[in-house]
Amino acid sequence: MRWNHSLFIFLVLLPFSAGALEKAVVLPKGVSHPALRLGTITGFGDKFHSDGLLASVGDTYSKTFDSRTLTTVFPEARALVDSLNQFGSYKLGDQLNLGTLKIEADPKVRFEAAVFAHGFTEHFSLAVALPVVHYSVKTSVYQTEGNLNEIAAALPADLRAQVSKLPLDLVNGFHSRLASAGYAAFGERSQTFMADAQLLGFYRYHQSRFWSGVVKSTLTLPTGPKDDPDDLLDLPFFGQTAFGIHFLQDMNPMRDLVIGAYAGHTIKLPDRSVKRVPRDDQDVLPEADRKEELVRDLGDVTTAGVNARYMLSDAWEAGTGLEFGFKGPDSYSGNRGYNYSLLSRNSSSEWQKLQGSLEFSTTNWFLKNEFALPVAIAYEYSDIISGFNVERQISHELTFKGYF
């Protein structure tokens, strides 16, 4: 069995790492590499919207109940709005506002991933990762004050009586609407599940003093939970089959400095999924009778990035990188003749991710017979700093590595 320094940084290529820097390395022949990844991902509560601005995800689902919304959600309110507009010269019906139904959520993801890799030849390594996810979310729903009391005070008794019949408590109305439509209760959620497993192959097609190149292939298996059409708070990221190819390049312009670059494409394979199909673009809570098993073709993902890693000493390495990503639009089709394109609205996305890492390794000490075991611990950080139609994701991750 032959050892070299590159095998000790191999694991940063492995899956379920939100912020790992890509490296063009493979394991030596006959070397096995177990590892454990522990991490957290936060920031899902904020999203870069289609205009590129970062805002709370809850703001997307918050709704101001002005006269236009009232007559859409409650068609019976049209007669009242018309009556108020005819009273005086101030168009009180058009000014009517019950307030804003505000929704806030704070989702968090914590995960562990057991990883095992093995070098089958000097140029080919295979790895498998089995991640377990712990997901929790806390939500709150509240109502801001509108102008109903001020308008009612200026009305005669008959109109005031009609106004009093409006749904004043929007929060209870929201929860009642969810229950009547068959949605899960909107509150706190905590669950643990196995996420999508991954099988990865690494083939090194070139290595020299100043440059190395590796092709990474990834097969994602749908071992995670499917999206639940009756649950507004579940994670819709799992239960998918995908295949990806990435080309990784490492260049060594200086002894202790490595400049990395990579690019690749991941194909999401079509499958079937049960979804609630909206009636129109205003239908944010489709009824249960709109559920249908659809053919789902999620948008493919293209990523590219650059990074730099520097050996601070025999034991410490620091790195930083920037990744650019693009996801194509989703596509849905069914047999009921619904407008399935409504499910694909704003489903394409772009992002720019900032990455950083710091690793302590006993590799060089072991190779010099100065330390008994070749082990390492790495900290990795990433943050989606810009984009559109993408949730912000801030990750912190520790990886414990061993070799034999």
Side-chain angles (χ1 to χ4, degrees):
M1 183 184 303
R2 292 189 297 158
W3 298 78
N4 61 52
H5 178 69
S6 66
L7 76 92
F8 294 93
I9 56 177
F10 173 75
L11 192 62
V12 296
L13 295 170
L14 295 184
F16 213 81
S17 175
L21 302 179
E22 297 276 22
K23 300 183 179 182
V25 295
V26 297
L27 287 170
K29 181 179 179 179
V31 174
S32 295
H33 182 17
L36 178 65
R37 290 186 175 278
L38 307 173
T40 62
I41 306 175
T42 59
F44 294 115
D46 294 326
K47 182 176 182 178
F48 292 96
H49 293 277
S50 57
D51 55 5
L53 297 178
L54 183 65
S56 169
V57 173
D59 290 342
T60 304
Y61 298 100
S62 297
K63 197 75 173 177
T64 298
F65 280 76
D66 54 16
S67 61
R68 181 179 178 181
T69 302
L70 276 172
T71 54
T72 300
V73 178
F74 309 104
E76 63 273 15
R78 167 54 63 187
L80 173 60
V81 170
D82 290 342
S83 297
L84 292 177
N85 282 337
Q86 295 172 10
F87 178 79
S89 59
Y90 297 102
K91 294 284 186 180
L92 293 179
D94 291 342
Q95 298 179 39
L96 188 62
N97 189 322
L98 297 187
T100 299
L101 185 68
K102 301 285 289 185
I103 299 175
E104 294 183 352
D106 183 26
K108 293 182 175 64
V109 170
R110 181 171 54 86
F111 66 87
E112 301 101 29
V115 185
F116 186 82
H118 183 76
F120 286 89
T121 72
E122 291 295 332
H123 298 283
F124 178 72
S125 300
L126 195 64
V128 62
L130 302 175
V132 174
V133 170
H134 309 275
Y135 167 62
S136 64
V137 61
K138 294 182 179 180
T139 65
S140 60
V141 184
Y142 61 94
Q143 177 182 350
T144 64
E145 187 174 350
N147 61 9
L148 184 64
N149 292 333
E150 291 82 353
I151 289 179
L155 298 176
D158 56 338
L159 285 178
R160 193 181 306 128
Q162 294 184 49
V163 168
S164 66
K165 297 178 181 179
L166 290 173
L168 303 182
D169 192 338
L170 299 178
V171 174
N172 283 337
F174 170 76
H175 289 296
S176 297
R177 172 74 173 85
L178 289 182
S180 64
Y183 288 96
F186 203 79
E188 294 189 15
R189 191 70 46 81
S190 180
Q191 59 186 134
T192 297
F193 54 85
M194 180 177 176
D196 293 344
Q198 286 190 313
L199 182 66
L200 296 95
F202 300 86
Y203 175 72
R204 182 171 60 202
Y205 60 88
H206 178 82
Q207 184 174 29
S208 64
R209 167 66 181 82
F210 298 102
W211 170 51
S212 60
V214 169
V215 177
K216 178 181 76 170
S217 57
T218 306
L219 176 62
T220 302
L221 303 174
T223 53
K226 290 279 190 179
D227 183 21
D228 185 351
D230 300 330
D231 192 348
L232 298 176
L233 298 178
D234 68 335
L235 288 177
F237 309 136
F238 305 107
Q240 302 175 4
T241 304
F243 179 75
I245 292 288
H246 285 73
F247 294 88
L248 317 176
Q249 312 290 321
D250 274 357
M251 291 154 281
N252 298 84
M254 299 170 53
R255 177 178 176 272
D256 293 324
L257 176 66
V258 177
I259 303 297
Y262 63 93
H265 187 76
T266 299
I267 299 173
K268 304 288 186 67
L269 301 183
D271 58 6
R272 305 189 71 86
S273 178
V274 177
K275 305 289 287 185
R276 294 187 183 221
V277 185
R279 297 182 182 277
D280 52 45
D281 57 5
Q282 300 297 318
D283 186 8
V284 296
L285 294 174
E287 297 284 350
D289 62 3
R290 302 289 292 186
K291 281 192 292 187
E292 181 183 357
E293 186 179 49
L294 307 176
V295 175
R296 178 182 68 169
D297 189 359
L298 299 177
D300 296 346
V301 176
T302 300
T303 54
V306 294
N307 58 65
R309 291 105 63 190
Y310 188 78
M311 290 299 299
L312 303 173
S313 69
D314 282 350
W316 291 94
E317 179 192 80
T320 185
L322 185 64
E323 178 182 282
F324 304 88
F326 171 79
K327 175 188 170 296
D330 301 336
S331 175
Y332 295 89
S333 60
N335 299 317
R336 295 185 182 177
Y338 294 156
N339 184 3
Y340 302 108
S341 65
L342 293 171
L343 293 171
S344 302
R345 291 174 298 173
N346 297 322
S347 59
S348 62
S349 59
E350 291 184 11
W351 63 90
Q352 292 77 50
K353 180 191 294 183
L354 181 65
Q355 302 165 302
S357 67
L358 182 65
E359 179 171 340
F360 173 79
S361 172
T362 65
T363 302
N364 289 325
W365 298 343
F366 174 80
L367 295 175
K368 296 175 183 178
N369 294 319
E370 297 176 355
F371 198 84
L373 297 173
V375 294
I377 181 172
Y379 166 75
E380 295 162 346
Y381 165 86
S382 75
D383 184 6
I384 293 181
I385 56 175
S386 64
F388 71 83
N389 293 333
V390 64
E391 288 80 9
R392 188 180 185 189
Q393 298 177 31
I394 303 171
S395 74
H396 300 273
E397 184 175 343
L398 282 177
T399 304
F400 301 91
K401 315 176 188 182
Y403 308 86
F404 63 89

